[in-house]
Amino acid sequence: MDELDRNIVTLLGADARMSVATLARRLKVARSTIQARLERLESSGVIVGYTIRLGEAAREGRLRAAVLLTIEQRAQAAILTKLKAVPEVERAVTTSGRYDLLLQIAAPTTQVLDNVLDQIEAMTGVLTSESLIYLTTRLDRAV
């Protein structure tokens, strides 16, 4: 990616609905250049989709938590398969250090969150878990 590609990604990260014409105008390049760059960014896997970011108003009424798991390594594939079936699990990433997996969870109530945490902790191969409930978002630069 060169500077133009990074600028395109930055602008689309702020507003995924921005038109090709608007991108071209803001970046002072031809519309056809933007279109070609977008096609290349998409085909190379740099851009895999266009979406919206929910603000705090949309997140109200949802409890969010990070769950840190230590797991038996031979059980990782089975655990990930089971996690995919839990709709409240938004993201699962492997980590370095003391924990093996970091999960991001969203639930509508404390009861649902508690049930999800119990379900995860009961999975075969989960050795330990630590849950961190999100309180207030102070900074969010995620695209």
Side-chain angles (χ1 to χ4, degrees), residues 37-87:
R37 292 293 185 111
L38 286 172
E39 289 171 9
R40 186 174 51 74
L41 290 167
E42 291 168 0
S43 67
S44 68
V46 172
I47 295 177
V48 295
Y50 299 85
T51 187
I52 61 170
R53 286 179 50 203
L54 298 177
E56 282 300 317
R59 289 185 232 175
E60 286 180 13
R62 284 189 338 154
L63 295 170
R64 298 179 69 217
V67 180
L68 301 161
L69 299 179
T70 303
I71 62 171
E72 294 176 14
Q73 286 307 305
R74 61 184 164 85
Q76 183 172 340
I79 290 170
L80 288 171
T81 299
K82 290 176 186 174
L83 289 171
K84 288 178 185 176
V86 180

Side-chain angles (χ1 to χ4, degrees), residues 91-142:
R91 178 174 288 128
V93 297
T94 57
T95 64
S96 64
R98 195 169 77 190
Y99 297 99
D100 301 304
L101 289 175
L102 168 67
L103 310 179
Q104 181 176 306
I105 302 203
T109 66
T110 55
Q111 182 177 4
V112 171
L113 179 60
D114 194 36
N115 289 338
V116 169
L117 295 174
D118 288 344
Q119 185 180 355
I120 292 167
E121 290 168 4
M123 291 180 183
T124 302
V126 172
L127 300 175
T128 65
S129 72
E130 183 176 339
S131 303
L132 307 165
I133 307 220
Y134 297 9
L135 298 176
T136 304
T137 301
R138 302 285 186 195
L139 176 68
D140 185 359
R141 291 189 181 137

